[in-house]
Amino acid sequence: MARCQAVTDDLTSQQETAPGEELSPAPGARALRLPLDDITAAGLLAAGRISEAGADPTAQLLWDDIARVVRHGTALCLKALAGAPLRPCDLAFLSERASAWMKSGLSMRAVLVGLRLTSQAVWARVARHADPGQLATLSSRFLVAVHKIHFAVSQGARPAGDPRQALAYALVHGRPVPPEARAAAGRAHAFTVVVVGSAEGVGAATGRRVGELLPCALRLTVNGALVLLLPCEEECAEGHHDAAVARIHRAAWPAGSEPFSGVVDCVPREKVHEAVGVAREVLRIAEVIGRDPGSYRLIDVAMEYSVLHTPDATRAVGKLLEPLSAHSPDLLHTLRSFLSCGMDRRRTAGSLHVHPNTVDYRLRRIHELTTVSPTTPHGAQLLSAALAVAVLS
């Protein structure tokens, strides 16, 4: 018990506050030396690598401000673990900063990733020092604090004042549309949902370029991906918005860095939230199985999608690649390249910088180890689904 007491009593010893805020230490706080600055710095470094912030000029300009907020949120975790309540003014600081960032066009990804990583570091340190009998109490305090912190940031990031942004936020997140935003939909009874993603993420500057190219579209950046809602004022056929999507692929991204897009056509307003999830998964599958950048619909990855959503099939297909992983990473790499090159052995050899005979040998080994031939249409489909399961399941 004494061990846990030292943890819970001493958590607030290094709770330095963000500018303009005071954090009241828990009664009897002494000193568990949690290195607040070190934890914050490590979390921000990882957040910068993971998120699109490093390539987003707006995020770079606001990086010091982001660091203050992540540090403040980390200090609030320590305060809650010590048993002290989180006051409204503690959380208001987070909401105010998130609201300011939303107006500047900054994605929340860097902030939320930084908060998540630093809170994980805090909990890992506490769990190592806490008495096992008190972990339930500490974890309850910690989870409540993390929920309040993330909720405060999310509330501040909710669009205010711009009916189109408010409408996009409500539709994408499956929330009720605010009365003041209803007119922003115009005569559109449905939307084509396009989720655009790239390896570097979609920064605020790219989002603004897309907005200039497609002024009729509602747009929102969610976890590094750009969500576009293209209005359908009447029943439109599949592919109605293909020209618009192709235009932003060419014009908003530099040559050679075309993104992936997942597209779901003509979705009723109340189904937009579900369609965003489908479109996001479609683009991830296309990316993982080695397709070329471009736009994809569910029909383009139907087998992979179906396998991922059928538990028995996921387990069965997921075992196909186990022999390859155990044998050689070159075989997996060759399989992915072969499928990406349209099952063309010479193109595959060129992409891998090896002789075509080497590709032939590896394909034979894949067949021997998996009992599935990658050179047949059926085998290629099965192995493509297995690649999707290996990465996404």
Side-chain angles (χ1 to χ4, degrees):
M1 177 67 85
R3 185 182 177 207
C4 179
Q5 193 64 35
V7 173
T8 54
D9 284 352
D10 303 341
L11 277 167
T12 54
S13 64
Q14 295 208 8
Q15 284 181 23
E16 300 176 39
T17 64
E21 296 294 332
E22 286 187 9
L23 297 178
S24 301
R30 295 193 299 275
L32 170 69
R33 293 297 174 183
L34 281 179
L36 178 57
D37 287 331
D38 291 347
I39 289 173
T40 302
L44 286 167
L45 179 63
R49 290 172 179 166
I50 294 172
S51 75
E52 79 279 15
D56 186 339
T58 306
Q60 291 173 357
L61 291 172
L62 296 174
W63 194 249
D64 288 343
D65 201 21
I66 292 172
R68 288 171 56 207
V69 167
V70 171
R71 189 171 187 275
H72 183 74
T74 305
L76 290 181
C77 282
L78 300 182
K79 178 179 180 179
L81 280 165
L86 301 186
R87 300 173 302 174
C89 63
D90 297 332
L91 298 167
F93 174 74
L94 301 175
S95 297
E96 288 165 6
R97 298 317 308 147
S99 178
W101 294 332
M102 188 72 184
K103 292 173 184 175
S104 70
L106 174 69
S107 165
M108 291 291 104
R109 181 172 170 79
V111 183
L112 294 174
V113 170
L115 286 170
R116 176 173 60 80
L117 293 171
T118 52
S119 61
Q120 285 176 347
V122 169
W123 178 250
R125 182 70 176 269
V126 171
R128 283 198 301 270
H129 290 79
D131 184 87
Q134 293 296 313
L135 279 177
T137 299
L138 292 175
S139 63
S140 177
R141 292 176 183 174
F142 178 76
L143 291 173
V144 169
V146 169
H147 172 76
K148 288 183 177 181
I149 290 165
H150 281 253
F151 184 76
V153 173
S154 299
Q155 286 294 100
R158 292 185 64 179
D162 183 346
R164 286 169 57 81
Q165 279 292 94
L167 176 62
Y169 184 92
L171 294 176
V172 168
H173 292 283
R175 308 281 178 81
V177 176
E180 65 273 13
R182 289 172 187 161
R187 295 185 298 168
H189 71 285
F191 294 88
T192 290
V193 175
V194 183
V195 179
V196 189
S198 65
E200 297 78 22
V202 180
T206 301
R208 285 191 292 271
R209 285 198 298 273
V210 171
E212 293 167 1
L213 291 165
L214 295 176
C216 66
L218 301 175
R219 59 188 173 89
L220 199 67
T221 302
V222 182
N223 294 331
L226 180 64
V227 179
L228 299 173
L229 306 181
L230 306 176
C232 305
E233 295 186 357
E234 56 188 30
E235 193 69 30
C236 56
E238 182 177 303
H240 177 76
H241 290 107
D242 280 1
V245 175
R247 187 164 70 251
I248 65 167
H249 275 222
R250 290 193 305 269
W253 273 265
S257 61
E258 185 183 358
F260 287 84
S261 290
V263 181
V264 181
D265 293 285
C266 204
V267 181
R269 294 186 196 182
E270 63 274 13
K271 299 290 186 180
V272 164
H273 173 62
E274 296 174 17
V276 169
V278 172
R280 180 187 290 277
E281 191 164 3
V282 165
L283 84 85
R284 285 286 292 124
I285 292 172
E287 192 173 16
V288 163
I289 65 177
R291 298 286 179 87
D292 291 330
S295 299
Y296 295 91
R297 291 177 169 79
L298 185 55
I299 190 63
D300 299 314
V301 293
M303 181 173 182
E304 293 85 355
Y305 186 92
S306 299
V307 167
L308 283 166
H309 287 264
T310 308
D312 289 342
T314 299
R315 285 190 292 272
V317 172
K319 295 178 181 178
L320 281 177
L321 300 184
E322 289 178 359
L324 303 189
S325 302
H327 187 272
S328 169
D330 288 341
L331 295 181
L332 272 176
H333 188 40
T334 300
L335 174 61
R336 189 175 286 108
S337 297
F338 182 66
L339 296 175
S340 177
C341 292
M343 301 169 63
D344 185 319
R345 54 186 287 277
R346 292 193 175 276
R347 281 182 59 200
T348 304
S351 70
L352 296 174
H353 306 291
V354 299
H355 194 276
N357 289 347
T358 303
V359 173
D360 290 338
Y361 169 75
R362 292 178 182 176
L363 294 176
R364 286 196 301 272
R365 288 295 290 149
I366 291 169
H367 188 182
E368 291 167 2
L369 292 168
T370 65
T371 71
V372 177
S373 172
T375 60
T376 66
H378 177 65
Q381 278 193 321
L382 272 178
L383 292 168
S384 176
L387 283 172
V389 169
V391 177
L392 300 177
S393 65

